[in-house]
Amino acid sequence: MNQMETEVLIIGGGVLGAAVARELSRYRVDVLLVEKEADFGWGSTKTNMCIVCQGGDALEFRPEYHRSKLVWDSMPLMEPLCQELDVPFRKVGELALIRNNEELNKFQKLKSKAEKLGLKGHQFIDQDTLRQMEPNITRDAIGALHDPHIAIVDPVRLTIALIENAGQNGVNIMRETEVLNIFQKSNQFEVETNRGLMKCRFIVNAAGISVEKIARMVNSDDFVLYPIRGYVGILDKNLGDLIKHEIHMRPDAPGQMNILTPSVHGNLFFGTTMQPAKRGDCSTTEKIAEIGLKNVRKIIPDLSEREIIHSFAGFLMFRNWEVGWHECVVQASRRVPRFISICIGYPGVSAAPATAKEVVTLLRREGLRLEQNPAFNPIRKAPPAFTHLSEERQKELIAQDSRYGHVVCRCETVTEGEVIEAIRRGANTLDGIKFRTRAGMGRCQGGFCTPRVVNILARELGLSEKMITKKGRGSRLLLFQSKELLEGSI
Amino acid sequence: MKLTDIDVAVIGSGPAGMAAAIRAKEEGAEQVLILERQEQLGGLLHQCVHNGFGLCYFKQDLTGPEYSHRFVEKINDLGIQVLLRTMVTHLSPDRQITAVNDREGILRFKPKSVVLAMGCRERSRGQLNVPGTRPAGIFTAGTAQRFVNVEGWIPGKKVVILGSGDIGMIMARRLTLEGAEVRAVVEILPYVGGLTRNEVQCLHDFHIPLLLEHTVTEIHGQERLEAVTLAKVDKDKTPIRGTQQRVECDTLLLSVGLIPENELSRMAGVRLDPLTGGPVVNQWRETNVPGIFAGGNVLHVHDMVDDVSWEAEIAGTSAARFTKKETMGKENIIVKGGRNIRYVVPQAITAQQDVTLYARVKEKEENVSLKVGSIFSKSLKVVKPGEMLKIDLTQNQLRQMVENALELSIEHIKRRQDG
């Protein structure tokens, strides 16, 4: 496998790359998607608040931005897409809290702006109604602007579903495949990877925070992005019923967001505290965590920090950060033909469906010939999630395969059968199992299930447990066998 | 097995569950059933290959598996029923249990009484909110203990341990014996979190550096852990600037506290005490939900397994008596923590019987007096959070009470002034 040829090469298996792959699988065309990580959606897709928005908060309904259009065009596409792909999607609605007249004015303007754009359904809610809708939130709010369209998804599951469906429909997929260099030949690209050389005619650069790095490989650096690191905290599921809607509070500092939102799996997410940071440095800092907690306490005043089970940081990529929340990159290179770069930055998940369609249009414009794929099947079935099934279905499943009766993750009630199914579908790391099944995502954060999952991974992959990694490459979990460290000394 | 006739169902088979089940059976409950999610009885005992178990209960120095074995034998002899690899997924307020395993599938039944004995879990990195990257090589001490003692794998060779709970100190010694270098045990408090006996036998005897009033302020490494930054902390536990040092390591173990595991208790509507993290109980280890009892680490985190077993026996006895519709008595005295007392269990008692109170202090203090209202007092050389206080009160003492509330407190001993 050291020389491959394809018509279209997609670089990056995040939600955007995956959406493009799936969109292209509607046509009869040779497509290869490469992802440098061990599984899909591990960049900005993973570090996400999981909200499908319509551009009201940070974008403030600015039609002058291309990004807004992509978000609005995606809105009607997202729910049917999630249905086709069997991915959890839930409309929760947003309550943007109003604490004073200044904020009221601001939201009145936003509301009329939205209406002018044809975005319907926004409604002002008075204090009493707000209390009924959300009895646990701050008493500082005198009302709220309700946006019924806001929904929540699981972006990593969506990405995996897109990849699986693209695969079903003929797209070739390679993981742990990193693009090292790109050479422009007369009518094709030669792409050097850690897995050998790949030839292609078209490139879709969806490399997330590496999007400029890839563009520079063909000297097509006609955009500059500013990486902003955002911090998100996750609360214990016990607090899952604290709020019903996504709660948005106008930030007290510019460039921040203050959101508390339900997630499809029951935990609440809060964030996003943002700060400029070195690209790719997803470390959390004490200060940013402190601000995050301070902010969420403006929404839930007496929230105990003990309820935070996990936190993470991720990147939002902005063009021209200094002048505000600006534009995204969805464009064919001006200098290099057949080379398309995409990076939404925020909100990437919400904009993915329309972005994928637009990339197809751009590819056509660049000369890609696309014929309908008559065999295209839009339906993908999710693997069973034991804990969410009806008891009847649970019984059936155990009868078919008794391993669905063996619970390996106590916090999230994940069974051995689910772990095995995830491995069958491509998971080969501890984090892969975590994002696909939720084993290790609960309040004990893998304390109980880690040895069990490592065990199953080793058995199913036919490897020694010593070779099992957290997230691929050099992230092995168990470095030595018993007594191995003593061998030299005896 | 007929699940329709179960008298007492015990959830969990660690030292608490096994002791409760045995005692329930001995007290006359006919059908006693243990539900255990692991492959064998004993809970976490089988991964505790060190000694120090049973010194009080059996007057012998046993390992975890040896301690467990004594109970397992008795369970077999008494004909107590056991369901292994069985996870209880739901418990309702009317005691209906839903469980799942790979033989019977979904099980649903309603025993006459239930003993909660789910034990506790370790606090994780997320709960500590340690800043930095997310590499491989960070484990809770108990997870590492399972890997080393049960699975036969050593996580790494240069180890830092954050927190000085008992499992952390025991793992410091265990990994040293396995040839790893434990570079430091780092404790944010000015004294260790676990037992003094473990500090001496696991750290000092093996010359493992113990850094008190220190913490980990950052984690480094993208794929595998490469180093941690340590810093000294001030009295408010805030890292002191300029004291940071980078320590190269491939493994970080966390031993920073245990949390009673009460998800099922919550589902059943059992009232929890925010101070212990476990159910509020009276001296019969009865919760607010009729027929649901609790004992061991699910109730509050103990230091010694012996106390876990003893306490769970109370719950087992009560559960058996409940099935026979015997009345326990009426608790009429509320027990509260006063000065320098973090919690007391049980939270309510009666004056009609002898009782043992378990309590934990908030801070270490020397030369103090432990007071229980006006009915009991005892001087103590030292009290510290890592060592539980156990106070036996007799009926006679309790009858001296005039109020219906009892406060435990730690007071300074007033020294007689010279002259």
Side-chain angles (χ1 to χ4, degrees):
Chain A
M1 234 214 317
N2 48 26
Q3 189 156 341
M4 281 157 282
E5 256 190 276
T6 183
E7 186 77 356
V8 183
L9 178 72
I10 301 169
I11 302 171
V15 70
L16 291 180
V20 171
R22 198 257 187 176
E23 196 57 34
L24 280 172
S25 73
R26 294 178 188 274
Y27 305 95
R28 267 206 282 221
V29 57
D30 238 9
V31 181
L32 169 65
L33 180 144
V34 292
E35 165 56 50
K36 74 171 173 357
E37 298 295 338
D39 216 332
F40 305 100
W42 280 5
S44 298
T45 303
K46 170 180 84 164
T47 51
N48 199 297
M49 293 208 53
C50 311
I51 300 166
V52 181
C53 68
Q54 56 164 339
D57 46 5
L59 287 171
E60 304 197 327
F61 304 116
R62 297 196 189 184
E64 64 271 31
Y65 297 151
H66 190 47
R67 207 158 56 126
S68 306
K69 185 183 175 296
L70 291 171
V71 171
W72 296 331
D73 289 351
S74 295
M75 267 173 54
L77 303 175
M78 190 59 97
E79 193 169 1
L81 178 67
C82 289
Q83 268 164 10
E84 284 176 347
L85 299 176
D86 201 5
V87 170
F89 170 98
R90 189 149 62 87
K91 269 203 176 147
V92 289
E94 177 188 76
L95 288 169
L97 303 185
I98 299 164
R99 289 172 296 177
N100 50 46
N101 279 338
E102 195 192 324
E103 285 183 346
L104 180 62
N105 289 339
K106 184 89 191 167
F107 283 122
Q108 271 164 344
K109 276 184 204 147
L110 277 184
K111 181 172 181 272
S112 52
K113 214 167 164 184
E115 277 160 5
K116 262 182 228 154
L117 290 161
L119 301 164
K120 293 198 178 75
H122 291 75
Q123 253 187 342
F124 280 106
I125 304 287
D126 64 18
Q127 197 166 22
D128 288 345
T129 318
L130 179 63
R131 294 255 191 288
Q132 276 170 16
M133 289 169 89
E134 293 292 356
N136 299 316
I137 61 168
T138 174
R139 304 261 139 175
D140 288 349
I142 55 171
L145 180 61
H146 180 236
D147 173 351
H149 304 292
I150 304 290
I152 50 178
V153 287
D154 176 337
V156 176
R157 293 243 176 130
L158 173 61
T159 304
I160 286 165
L162 286 162
I163 291 278
E164 283 183 3
N165 191 231
Q168 274 170 265
N169 289 308
V171 171
N172 294 306
I173 314 273
M174 289 176 68
R175 285 177 291 169
E176 294 178 273
T177 305
E178 187 171 2
V179 171
L180 305 170
N181 212 344
I182 304 172
F183 305 99
Q184 252 180 286
K185 301 285 157 164
S186 57
N187 60 352
Q188 64 176 11
F189 297 101
E190 284 184 11
V191 180
E192 187 191 332
T193 75
N194 59 326
R195 303 243 185 166
L197 203 66
M198 296 171 185
K199 290 182 178 175
C200 63
R201 287 195 61 233
F202 296 82
I203 288 178
V204 177
N205 169 17
I209 60 165
S210 306
V211 69
E212 294 153 278
K213 190 174 137 193
I214 298 291
R216 276 199 298 272
M217 289 177 184
V218 292
N219 296 316
S220 172
D221 48 355
D222 33 35
F223 53 89
V224 181
L225 294 173
Y226 294 85
I228 299 297
R229 184 165 60 192
Y231 166 89
V232 175
I234 306 177
L235 301 178
D236 192 292
K237 266 188 178 175
N238 288 330
L239 298 184
D241 292 332
L242 211 54
I243 53 161
K244 302 270 174 293
H245 304 78
E246 185 243 296
I247 309 290
H248 176 91
M249 184 180 266
R250 283 196 72 77
D252 294 334
Q256 304 293 324
M257 280 196 265
N258 194 9
I259 290 170
L260 178 66
T261 177
S263 69
V264 288
H265 302 294
N267 307 82
L268 303 185
F269 284 35
F270 67 91
T272 311
T273 315
M274 290 186 277
Q275 57 173 200
K278 209 179 107 213
R279 190 166 304 211
D281 178 7
C282 279
S283 46
T284 50
T285 67
E286 212 168 335
K287 201 175 154 222
I288 202 170
E290 234 168 69
I291 300 172
L293 186 63
K294 221 174 94 192
N295 280 340
V296 68
R297 281 186 178 151
K298 288 177 190 160
I299 300 175
I300 305 285
D302 49 358
L303 185 78
S304 159
E305 59 184 301
R306 277 209 240 166
E307 303 291 351
I308 304 173
I309 63 162
H310 194 61
S311 63
F312 60 78
F315 278 91
L316 299 96
M317 309 291 285
F318 293 104
R319 261 180 143 166
N320 310 329
W321 165 256
E322 299 95 328
V323 283
W325 300 79
H326 277 212
E327 203 43 291
C328 61
V329 176
V330 181
Q331 63 189 48
S333 167
R334 268 170 281 166
R335 291 184 222 166
V336 186
R338 306 182 313 283
F339 187 89
I340 288 158
S341 293
I342 51 175
C343 183
I344 301 292
Y346 166 88
V349 176
S350 308
T355 306
K357 290 198 184 296
E358 185 157 312
V359 168
V360 171
T361 309
L362 289 173
L363 283 167
R364 255 187 227 213
R365 235 181 262 161
E366 293 291 307
L368 179 67
R369 280 218 312 232
L370 291 172
E371 274 171 52
Q372 292 290 327
N373 170 9
F376 175 74
N377 176 6
I379 304 299
R380 168 262 185 192
K381 284 306 286 174
F386 183 81
T387 184
H388 297 304
L389 299 175
S390 67
E391 193 174 312
E392 213 147 292
R393 193 65 196 102
Q394 288 181 336
K395 283 180 177 163
E396 263 174 47
L397 206 56
I398 298 170
Q400 277 165 24
D401 183 343
S402 65
R403 294 172 298 190
Y404 280 98
H406 181 219
V407 176
V408 291
C409 165
R410 62 182 170 191
C411 305
E412 297 290 317
T413 321
V414 179
T415 64
E416 183 177 355
E418 290 161 84
V419 174
I420 291 168
E421 177 62 14
I423 296 169
R424 199 186 65 74
R425 291 180 183 230
N428 54 8
T429 61
L430 191 65
D431 279 0
I433 295 295
K434 178 170 138 180
F435 282 102
R436 286 166 184 260
T437 67
R438 290 188 62 75
M441 283 242 186
R443 55 179 68 88
C444 93
Q445 290 287 301
F448 180 78
C449 67
T450 297
R452 286 152 183 87
V453 172
V454 167
N455 231 289
I456 299 169
L457 274 165
R459 188 187 69 208
E460 298 296 313
L461 297 171
L463 293 169
S464 156
E465 283 162 329
K466 212 169 151 178
M467 301 315 293
I468 302 304
T469 65
K470 181 177 189 293
K471 48 185 177 181
R473 291 195 288 258
S475 65
R476 269 173 53 213
L477 290 157
L478 304 164
L479 302 183
F480 307 96
Q481 207 165 5
S482 294
K483 307 292 173 258
E484 199 178 330
L485 288 170
L486 296 169
E487 269 161 22
S489 61
I490 294 169
Chain B
M1 185 182 302
K2 266 176 76 186
L3 290 175
T4 43
D5 304 332
I6 300 297
D7 294 306
V8 178
V10 179
I11 305 175
S13 78
M18 292 195 295
I22 290 167
R23 188 47 61 88
K25 185 83 182 179
E26 288 172 345
E27 287 287 330
E30 270 180 37
Q31 298 297 325
V32 178
L33 169 70
I34 297 178
L35 297 139
E36 165 60 45
R37 64 182 171 216
Q38 299 205 75
E39 292 74 12
Q40 73 272 60
L41 288 171
L44 293 181
L45 284 170
H46 69 285
Q47 72 183 50
C48 299
V49 301
H50 54 282
N51 60 345
F53 291 81
L55 287 166
C56 305
Y57 194 95
F58 291 113
K59 305 272 180 281
Q60 277 177 313
D61 192 2
L62 306 174
T63 64
E66 284 167 347
Y67 187 87
S68 173
H69 186 68
R70 308 255 166 132
F71 288 88
V72 174
E73 293 242 288
K74 218 159 177 187
I75 285 168
N76 293 336
D77 292 348
L78 289 170
I80 292 170
Q81 304 177 58
V82 176
L83 277 172
L84 297 174
R85 285 166 74 94
T86 303
M87 181 74 86
V88 175
T89 53
H90 199 264
L91 175 65
S92 69
D94 62 350
R95 298 189 302 280
Q96 178 165 271
I97 290 177
T98 310
V100 58
N101 70 27
D102 53 10
R103 297 171 308 271
E104 288 95 352
I106 314 270
L107 304 161
R108 183 163 293 148
F109 62 102
K110 197 167 156 180
K112 293 198 183 96
S113 69
V114 172
V115 178
L116 304 172
M118 292 88 77
C120 56
R121 64 166 180 270
E122 297 176 283
R123 277 180 79 196
S124 71
R125 178 192 173 183
Q127 284 157 321
L128 283 181
N129 238 327
V130 187
T133 53
R134 303 283 186 275
I138 304 170
F139 303 91
T140 56
T143 304
Q145 187 180 44
R146 184 180 165 105
F147 274 126
V148 175
N149 293 344
V150 180
E151 315 274 340
W153 299 106
I154 311 300
K157 67 174 170 187
K158 284 182 186 168
V159 184
V160 169
I161 300 178
L162 173 58
S164 56
D166 289 312
I167 316 171
M169 295 196 283
I170 285 159
M171 282 312 291
R173 174 177 65 183
R174 184 76 185 92
L175 287 167
T176 304
L177 289 170
E178 275 291 335
E181 180 195 350
V182 178
R183 309 204 71 179
V185 172
V186 183
E187 171 57 56
I188 199 162
L189 294 172
Y191 40 84
V192 299
L195 298 170
T196 307
R197 145 182 133 189
N198 284 330
E199 178 182 347
V200 174
Q201 295 173 4
C202 300
L203 303 184
H204 301 334
D205 287 359
F206 288 84
H207 310 291
I208 294 167
L210 170 65
L211 293 176
L212 297 173
E213 298 181 282
H214 277 72
T215 192
V216 172
T217 56
E218 200 177 345
I219 286 164
H220 308 276
Q222 286 304 325
E223 293 172 3
R224 178 76 194 196
L225 180 68
E226 287 163 14
V228 293
T229 302
L230 305 181
K232 198 166 163 38
V233 297
D234 63 19
K235 282 199 186 102
D236 304 321
K237 300 182 190 170
T238 309
I240 302 168
R241 220 183 259 193
T243 64
Q244 287 94 341
Q245 49 170 320
R246 190 181 155 105
V247 177
E248 308 292 317
C249 58
D250 56 27
T251 304
L252 175 67
L253 301 190
L254 305 177
S255 180
V256 286
L258 302 165
I259 305 167
E261 190 122 71
N262 277 290
E263 280 61 52
L264 293 171
S265 323
R266 273 197 192 92
M267 291 177 194
V270 169
R271 193 152 76 85
L272 301 180
D273 180 345
L275 299 172
T276 56
V280 173
V281 290
N282 59 24
Q283 74 192 73
W284 303 281
R285 300 304 187 269
E286 215 175 1
T287 69
N288 61 311
V289 181
I292 299 186
F293 302 82
N297 284 345
V298 76
L299 205 49
H300 63 118
V301 178
H302 297 61
D303 316 328
M304 309 262 279
V305 72
D306 312 69
D307 288 319
V308 166
S309 302
W310 273 321
E311 182 179 63
E313 286 176 351
I314 304 173
T317 304
S318 306
R321 290 179 56 197
F322 184 88
T323 63
K324 294 184 281 177
K325 301 202 166 62
E326 290 177 29
T327 44
M328 309 287 157
K330 191 74 202 136
E331 70 274 18
N332 48 9
I333 303 167
I334 302 293
V335 189
K336 286 188 305 194
R339 189 190 167 279
N340 196 18
I341 293 288
R342 184 145 63 94
Y343 71 75
V344 194
V345 172
Q347 289 88 343
I349 57 172
T350 171
Q352 309 305 313
Q353 287 174 19
D354 296 354
V355 70
T356 302
L357 300 179
Y358 296 96
R360 220 174 261 284
V361 298
K362 292 177 185 160
E363 284 164 37
K364 180 177 173 177
E365 282 188 308
E366 287 176 7
N367 299 313
V368 289
S369 158
L370 163 66
K371 288 209 164 117
V372 183
S374 55
I375 61 169
F376 178 94
S377 104
K378 184 184 179 185
S379 347
L380 295 167
K381 255 198 175 143
V382 60
V383 290
K384 45 186 195 170
E387 305 201 348
M388 199 166 72
L389 300 168
K390 227 172 125 178
I391 308 116
D392 294 317
L393 298 176
T394 63
Q395 280 182 67
N396 286 341
Q397 284 169 317
L398 289 163
R399 282 189 189 139
Q400 295 164 20
M401 285 186 54
V402 275
E403 292 165 12
N404 55 2
L406 202 54
E407 186 177 273
L408 259 74
S409 62
I410 301 292
E411 311 288 345
H412 288 294
I413 294 177
K414 287 192 190 102
R415 286 178 197 282
R416 226 182 289 155
Q417 286 188 347
D418 287 341

